[in-house]
Amino acid sequence: MASSSSSSLLQTMIKEGEHRNWADLPPELTSLILQRLGAVEIVEKAEKVCRSWRSVCKDPSMWRKIEMRSLDPWQHKYHEKICCHAVDRSQGRLGNLIGIKVSMCNLITSKGLAEAVVKLPLLEELEVSDCSFIGYCSSLGDTLKVVGQSCPNLTTLKENCVGYSHSRDKSDYVALAIAETMPGLRHLQLFGNKLTEAGLNAILDSCPNLEHLDLRNCFNVNLAGDLEKRCVERIKVVRRPNEPIHDYPFDATVNLAEDGYPDDFSDGSIPEDDYSHHSLSEILDFELQYFYD
Protein backbone atom coordinates (compact mmCIF):
# COMPACT_ATOMS: atom_id res chain seq x y z
CA MET A 1 0.00 0.00 0.00
CA ALA A 2 1.19 3.53 -0.71
CA SER A 3 2.76 5.46 2.16
CA SER A 4 1.55 8.81 3.45
CA SER A 5 4.66 10.45 1.99
CA SER A 6 3.79 9.07 -1.45
CA SER A 7 0.27 10.44 -1.10
CA SER A 8 1.63 13.87 -0.12
CA LEU A 9 4.00 13.89 -3.10
CA LEU A 10 1.15 13.06 -5.48
CA GLN A 11 -1.02 15.83 -4.04
CA THR A 12 1.86 18.29 -4.41
CA MET A 13 2.34 17.31 -8.05
CA ILE A 14 -1.36 17.81 -8.75
CA LYS A 15 -1.48 21.21 -7.05
CA GLU A 16 1.63 22.43 -8.88
CA GLY A 17 0.28 21.20 -12.22
CA GLU A 18 3.50 19.38 -12.99
CA HIS A 19 3.46 17.61 -16.37
CA ARG A 20 5.28 14.35 -16.82
CA ASN A 21 5.08 10.98 -18.48
CA TRP A 22 2.72 8.96 -16.27
CA ALA A 23 4.63 5.78 -17.12
CA ASP A 24 7.70 7.27 -15.41
CA LEU A 25 6.01 7.83 -12.07
CA PRO A 26 7.54 5.96 -9.11
CA PRO A 27 5.77 2.61 -8.63
CA GLU A 28 4.38 3.62 -5.24
CA LEU A 29 2.64 6.65 -6.80
CA THR A 30 1.27 4.62 -9.69
CA SER A 31 -0.04 2.10 -7.19
CA LEU A 32 -1.73 4.88 -5.24
CA ILE A 33 -3.55 6.02 -8.38
CA LEU A 34 -4.51 2.59 -9.71
CA GLN A 35 -5.85 1.39 -6.37
CA ARG A 36 -8.83 3.66 -7.01
CA LEU A 37 -9.90 1.37 -9.84
CA GLY A 38 -11.95 -1.78 -9.55
CA ALA A 39 -10.69 -5.29 -10.28
CA VAL A 40 -12.27 -5.32 -13.74
CA GLU A 41 -10.68 -1.98 -14.73
CA ILE A 42 -7.25 -3.12 -13.50
CA VAL A 43 -7.32 -6.44 -15.36
CA GLU A 44 -9.01 -5.24 -18.54
CA LYS A 45 -7.49 -1.78 -18.93
CA ALA A 46 -4.81 -0.50 -16.56
CA GLU A 47 -2.37 -3.38 -16.84
CA LYS A 48 -2.51 -3.12 -20.65
CA VAL A 49 -1.42 0.52 -20.77
CA CYS A 50 2.33 -0.03 -20.54
CA ARG A 51 5.00 -2.29 -19.07
CA SER A 52 5.48 -0.24 -15.89
CA TRP A 53 1.74 -0.17 -15.15
CA ARG A 54 1.50 -3.91 -15.75
CA SER A 55 4.28 -4.47 -13.25
CA VAL A 56 2.46 -2.39 -10.65
CA CYS A 57 -0.85 -4.16 -11.34
CA LYS A 58 0.78 -7.53 -10.70
CA ASP A 59 2.12 -6.46 -7.31
CA PRO A 60 0.29 -8.34 -4.50
CA SER A 61 -0.26 -5.09 -2.58
CA MET A 62 -2.69 -4.02 -5.30
CA TRP A 63 -4.99 -6.89 -4.42
CA ARG A 64 -5.81 -6.20 -0.80
CA LYS A 65 -9.05 -4.59 -1.94
CA ILE A 66 -11.27 -5.98 -4.69
CA GLU A 67 -14.21 -4.25 -6.32
CA MET A 68 -16.59 -6.19 -8.57
CA ARG A 69 -19.37 -4.47 -10.49
CA SER A 70 -21.49 -5.81 -13.33
CA LEU A 71 -24.18 -4.29 -15.49
CA ASP A 72 -24.94 -7.71 -16.97
CA PRO A 73 -26.29 -10.21 -14.41
CA TRP A 74 -25.48 -13.17 -16.67
CA GLN A 75 -21.73 -12.61 -16.95
CA HIS A 76 -20.90 -15.08 -14.17
CA LYS A 77 -18.18 -16.77 -16.25
CA TYR A 78 -16.57 -13.38 -16.73
CA HIS A 79 -16.65 -12.79 -12.97
CA GLU A 80 -14.93 -16.15 -12.44
CA LYS A 81 -12.20 -15.04 -14.85
CA ILE A 82 -11.64 -11.81 -12.92
CA CYS A 83 -11.53 -13.72 -9.63
CA CYS A 84 -8.93 -16.06 -11.08
CA HIS A 85 -6.84 -13.06 -12.12
CA ALA A 86 -7.12 -11.69 -8.58
CA VAL A 87 -5.93 -15.02 -7.17
CA ASP A 88 -2.98 -15.05 -9.53
CA ARG A 89 -1.99 -11.45 -8.84
CA SER A 90 -2.26 -11.84 -5.06
CA GLN A 91 0.49 -14.52 -5.06
CA GLY A 92 -1.07 -16.41 -2.20
CA ARG A 93 -2.11 -13.40 -0.17
CA LEU A 94 -5.80 -13.18 -1.05
CA GLY A 95 -6.59 -14.26 2.49
CA ASN A 96 -5.17 -10.89 3.54
CA LEU A 97 -7.93 -8.93 1.80
CA ILE A 98 -9.01 -5.86 3.75
CA GLY A 99 -11.76 -4.68 1.41
CA ILE A 100 -14.47 -6.18 -0.84
CA LYS A 101 -17.03 -4.22 -2.85
CA VAL A 102 -19.63 -6.19 -4.76
CA SER A 103 -22.30 -4.33 -6.71
CA MET A 104 -24.86 -5.34 -9.31
CA CYS A 105 -23.57 -8.93 -9.27
CA ASN A 106 -26.85 -10.81 -9.16
CA LEU A 107 -25.41 -14.31 -9.35
CA ILE A 108 -23.68 -13.97 -5.99
CA THR A 109 -25.96 -15.13 -3.17
CA SER A 110 -25.97 -14.61 0.57
CA LYS A 111 -24.75 -18.19 0.94
CA GLY A 112 -21.82 -17.56 -1.37
CA LEU A 113 -20.91 -14.37 0.47
CA ALA A 114 -20.94 -16.18 3.83
CA GLU A 115 -18.71 -18.93 2.48
CA ALA A 116 -16.22 -16.35 1.25
CA VAL A 117 -15.90 -14.07 4.27
CA VAL A 118 -15.01 -16.86 6.71
CA LYS A 119 -11.71 -17.05 4.82
CA LEU A 120 -11.03 -13.32 5.22
CA PRO A 121 -10.38 -12.56 8.92
CA LEU A 122 -8.55 -9.28 8.14
CA LEU A 123 -11.50 -7.73 6.29
CA GLU A 124 -12.09 -4.09 7.26
CA GLU A 125 -14.51 -2.93 4.57
CA LEU A 126 -17.46 -4.75 3.00
CA GLU A 127 -19.92 -3.35 0.49
CA VAL A 128 -22.79 -5.29 -1.06
CA SER A 129 -24.95 -3.01 -3.19
CA ASP A 130 -27.80 -3.56 -5.61
CA CYS A 131 -27.48 -7.36 -5.66
CA SER A 132 -30.63 -9.46 -5.96
CA PHE A 133 -30.33 -11.34 -2.68
CA ILE A 134 -30.05 -8.34 -0.36
CA GLY A 135 -33.79 -7.72 -0.32
CA TYR A 136 -34.30 -10.98 1.60
CA CYS A 137 -33.65 -9.87 5.13
CA SER A 138 -33.66 -13.16 7.05
CA SER A 139 -30.98 -14.85 4.91
CA LEU A 140 -28.91 -11.68 4.72
CA GLY A 141 -29.17 -11.25 8.48
CA ASP A 142 -27.69 -14.73 8.96
CA THR A 143 -24.93 -13.91 6.48
CA LEU A 144 -24.07 -10.66 8.25
CA LYS A 145 -23.76 -12.54 11.52
CA VAL A 146 -21.15 -14.72 9.83
CA VAL A 147 -19.42 -11.58 8.57
CA GLY A 148 -19.32 -10.01 12.01
CA GLN A 149 -18.13 -13.19 13.71
CA SER A 150 -15.46 -13.88 11.08
CA CYS A 151 -14.18 -10.32 10.56
CA PRO A 152 -13.44 -8.66 13.92
CA ASN A 153 -11.62 -5.76 12.21
CA LEU A 154 -14.67 -4.67 10.20
CA THR A 155 -15.12 -0.89 10.41
CA THR A 156 -17.12 -0.16 7.24
CA LEU A 157 -20.30 -1.88 6.09
CA LYS A 158 -22.43 -0.81 3.14
CA GLU A 159 -25.52 -2.94 2.51
CA ASN A 160 -27.67 -1.16 -0.04
CA CYS A 161 -30.82 -1.97 -1.97
CA VAL A 162 -33.83 -0.28 -3.55
CA GLY A 163 -36.22 1.29 -1.04
CA TYR A 164 -39.98 0.85 -0.78
CA SER A 165 -42.18 3.90 -0.33
CA HIS A 166 -45.03 2.21 1.55
CA SER A 167 -44.24 -1.33 2.56
CA ARG A 168 -46.02 -3.65 4.95
CA ASP A 169 -42.73 -5.49 5.27
CA LYS A 170 -40.70 -4.23 8.21
CA SER A 171 -37.62 -6.20 9.16
CA ASP A 172 -34.85 -5.79 11.70
CA TYR A 173 -32.96 -8.97 10.78
CA VAL A 174 -30.08 -7.00 9.28
CA ALA A 175 -30.02 -4.36 12.01
CA LEU A 176 -29.97 -6.95 14.80
CA ALA A 177 -27.22 -8.94 13.08
CA ILE A 178 -25.12 -5.78 12.91
CA ALA A 179 -25.84 -4.94 16.54
CA GLU A 180 -24.99 -8.46 17.67
CA THR A 181 -21.69 -8.96 15.85
CA MET A 182 -20.17 -5.65 14.63
CA PRO A 183 -19.34 -3.42 17.61
CA GLY A 184 -16.35 -1.83 15.86
CA LEU A 185 -18.24 -0.24 12.96
CA ARG A 186 -17.41 3.37 12.16
CA HIS A 187 -19.14 3.73 8.79
CA LEU A 188 -22.55 2.18 8.12
CA GLN A 189 -24.68 2.64 5.02
CA LEU A 190 -28.09 0.92 4.89
CA PHE A 191 -29.61 2.53 1.82
CA GLY A 192 -33.15 1.23 1.26
CA ASN A 193 -33.13 -1.08 4.28
CA LYS A 194 -36.42 -2.12 5.95
CA LEU A 195 -35.24 -1.64 9.53
CA THR A 196 -37.44 0.07 12.12
CA GLU A 197 -36.68 2.39 15.02
CA ALA A 198 -36.14 -0.69 17.20
CA GLY A 199 -33.43 -1.96 14.87
CA LEU A 200 -31.76 1.43 14.72
CA ASN A 201 -31.77 1.69 18.52
CA ALA A 202 -30.14 -1.74 18.72
CA ILE A 203 -27.36 -0.57 16.41
CA LEU A 204 -26.83 2.60 18.45
CA ASP A 205 -26.69 0.53 21.66
CA SER A 206 -24.05 -1.85 20.32
CA CYS A 207 -21.90 0.25 17.94
CA PRO A 208 -20.45 3.08 20.05
CA ASN A 209 -17.82 4.10 17.48
CA LEU A 210 -20.15 5.02 14.62
CA GLU A 211 -19.06 8.19 12.81
CA HIS A 212 -21.09 8.00 9.59
CA LEU A 213 -24.63 6.61 9.29
CA ASP A 214 -26.55 6.62 6.00
CA LEU A 215 -30.27 5.77 6.30
CA ARG A 216 -31.51 7.24 3.03
CA ASN A 217 -34.61 5.52 1.63
CA CYS A 218 -35.11 3.66 4.92
CA PHE A 219 -38.78 4.61 4.98
CA ASN A 220 -39.73 2.52 8.01
CA VAL A 221 -37.59 4.73 10.26
CA ASN A 222 -39.07 7.91 11.67
CA LEU A 223 -35.94 9.78 12.65
CA ALA A 224 -37.42 12.27 15.08
CA GLY A 225 -37.58 13.12 18.77
CA ASP A 226 -35.27 11.25 21.13
CA LEU A 227 -34.05 8.91 18.40
CA GLU A 228 -32.97 11.80 16.19
CA LYS A 229 -31.31 13.50 19.16
CA ARG A 230 -29.45 10.33 20.00
CA CYS A 231 -28.11 10.00 16.45
CA VAL A 232 -27.11 13.63 16.07
CA GLU A 233 -25.35 13.83 19.43
CA ARG A 234 -23.32 10.66 18.91
CA ILE A 235 -22.62 10.48 15.16
CA LYS A 236 -20.68 13.01 13.11
CA VAL A 237 -22.55 12.50 9.82
CA VAL A 238 -26.15 11.27 9.64
CA ARG A 239 -27.99 10.91 6.32
CA ARG A 240 -31.73 10.86 6.99
CA PRO A 241 -34.30 8.64 5.21
CA ASN A 242 -35.72 11.44 3.05
CA GLU A 243 -32.48 13.22 2.19
CA PRO A 244 -31.51 13.75 -1.48
CA ILE A 245 -29.99 10.76 -3.24
CA HIS A 246 -28.26 12.50 -6.16
CA ASP A 247 -24.82 11.28 -5.01
CA TYR A 248 -25.91 7.65 -4.61
CA PRO A 249 -24.07 5.73 -7.38
CA PHE A 250 -26.71 3.08 -8.14
CA ASP A 251 -30.31 2.97 -9.31
CA ALA A 252 -32.35 4.38 -6.42
CA THR A 253 -35.79 4.05 -8.02
CA VAL A 254 -38.31 3.57 -5.23
CA ASN A 255 -40.44 0.45 -5.57
CA LEU A 256 -44.13 1.16 -4.91
CA ALA A 257 -45.16 -2.48 -4.47
CA GLU A 258 -47.44 -2.71 -1.48
CA ASP A 259 -46.33 -6.19 -0.46
CA GLY A 260 -42.77 -4.97 -0.10
CA TYR A 261 -41.24 -7.39 -2.60
CA PRO A 262 -40.00 -7.05 -6.17
CA ASP A 263 -42.21 -8.43 -8.93
CA ASP A 264 -42.24 -12.25 -9.32
CA PHE A 265 -40.64 -12.89 -5.93
CA SER A 266 -41.96 -13.75 -2.50
CA ASP A 267 -40.25 -14.18 0.85
CA GLY A 268 -37.88 -17.12 0.84
CA SER A 269 -37.77 -17.62 -2.93
CA ILE A 270 -34.10 -16.76 -3.37
CA PRO A 271 -32.67 -18.48 -6.42
CA GLU A 272 -29.84 -20.80 -5.37
CA ASP A 273 -28.72 -22.25 -8.71
CA ASP A 274 -25.70 -24.52 -8.55
CA TYR A 275 -23.48 -21.95 -10.20
CA SER A 276 -24.86 -18.88 -8.48
CA HIS A 277 -22.53 -18.64 -5.49
CA HIS A 278 -19.36 -20.26 -6.75
CA SER A 279 -17.50 -17.36 -8.29
CA LEU A 280 -16.35 -15.67 -5.09
CA SER A 281 -16.39 -18.38 -2.44
CA GLU A 282 -15.01 -21.32 -4.41
CA ILE A 283 -12.23 -19.32 -6.03
CA LEU A 284 -11.14 -18.12 -2.58
CA ASP A 285 -11.35 -21.68 -1.27
CA PHE A 286 -9.14 -22.95 -4.09
CA GLU A 287 -6.61 -20.18 -3.55
CA LEU A 288 -6.30 -20.73 0.19
CA GLN A 289 -5.96 -24.50 -0.12
CA TYR A 290 -3.39 -24.19 -2.89
CA PHE A 291 -1.12 -21.80 -1.04
CA TYR A 292 -1.65 -22.69 2.61
CA ASP A 293 -2.35 -26.45 2.80
Side-chain angles (χ1 to χ4, degrees):
M1 304 295 286
S3 65
S4 58
S5 59
S6 297
S7 179
S8 299
L9 177 57
L10 179 60
Q11 292 175 2
T12 300
M13 290 169 52
I14 294 174
K15 288 180 180 179
E16 294 178 352
E18 183 175 347
H19 298 284
R20 64 166 63 203
N21 186 340
W22 288 96
D24 294 334
L25 282 176
E28 61 269 21
L29 291 185
T30 302
S31 176
L32 180 65
I33 296 169
L34 297 184
Q35 282 171 10
R36 299 175 181 272
L37 302 177
V40 174
E41 288 80 7
I42 291 174
V43 170
E44 290 295 316
K45 297 178 181 179
E47 71 174 37
K48 298 179 180 180
V49 169
C50 61
R51 184 174 299 175
S52 63
W53 279 30
R54 181 173 179 81
S55 176
V56 170
C57 290
K58 296 175 78 172
D59 190 288
S61 66
M62 286 287 295
W63 297 94
R64 297 204 67 195
K65 293 185 178 182
I66 291 180
E67 179 175 354
M68 300 289 293
R69 179 175 182 178
S70 174
L71 295 176
D72 184 349
W74 302 110
Q75 287 187 336
H76 61 280
K77 292 297 183 183
Y78 182 69
H79 292 155
E80 290 178 2
K81 176 184 175 183
I82 297 298
C83 286
C84 287
H85 275 291
V87 169
D88 180 56
R89 301 292 190 270
S90 71
Q91 298 181 22
R93 303 180 193 177
L94 206 57
N96 294 329
L97 275 176
I98 61 173
I100 293 179
K101 295 183 179 182
V102 180
S103 57
M104 306 179 75
C105 295
N106 290 327
L107 294 181
I108 293 177
T109 67
S110 56
K111 178 182 177 182
L113 179 62
E115 290 175 352
V117 296
V118 296
K119 307 176 181 73
L120 305 172
L122 301 182
L123 202 66
E124 299 174 6
E125 303 175 15
L126 175 64
E127 176 178 343
V128 183
S129 295
D130 204 15
C131 295
S132 61
F133 70 85
I134 60 178
Y136 299 91
C137 299
S138 58
S139 62
L140 182 57
D142 291 338
T143 296
L144 290 180
K145 286 183 181 180
V146 175
V147 172
Q149 293 163 353
S150 305
C151 308
N153 298 326
L154 196 71
T155 58
T156 297
L157 175 67
K158 296 182 179 182
E159 183 273 304
N160 303 316
C161 60
V162 174
Y164 295 83
S165 65
H166 55 279
S167 169
R168 294 193 301 249
D169 183 26
K170 298 180 180 181
S171 174
D172 285 320
Y173 282 113
V174 168
L176 294 178
I178 292 170
E180 182 179 334
T181 64
M182 303 180 187
L185 283 182
R186 295 183 179 275
H187 304 270
L188 177 60
Q189 184 176 60
L190 295 174
F191 193 101
N193 196 273
K194 299 175 184 177
L195 83 163
T196 68
E197 287 91 344
L200 178 55
N201 271 308
I203 292 173
L204 296 176
D205 288 339
S206 303
C207 303
N209 301 317
L210 273 181
E211 299 175 1
H212 294 77
L213 176 63
D214 190 345
L215 297 172
R216 285 177 296 171
N217 277 22
C218 295
F219 298 117
N220 291 332
V221 173
N222 180 23
L223 197 59
D226 291 340
L227 182 57
E228 180 183 28
K229 181 179 179 182
R230 191 179 184 196
C231 288
V232 172
E233 288 180 348
R234 285 190 41 195
I235 303 173
K236 294 179 180 178
V237 178
V238 179
R239 306 295 299 273
R240 293 168 171 78
N242 291 309
E243 280 195 23
I245 58 175
H246 61 274
D247 59 339
Y248 183 67
F250 307 107
D251 180 13
T253 303
V254 174
N255 191 320
L256 300 179
E258 294 195 13
D259 61 1
Y261 296 104
D263 293 339
D264 301 325
F265 285 92
S266 61
D267 193 18
S269 64
I270 310 170
E272 291 283 0
D273 296 324
D274 290 340
Y275 58 79
S276 63
H277 65 272
H278 295 328
S279 299
L280 186 58
S281 62
E282 290 196 354
I283 291 296
L284 282 169
D285 185 58
F286 164 78
E287 192 271 342
L288 291 171
Q289 287 185 12
Y290 182 83
F291 288 103
Y292 298 125
D293 283 357

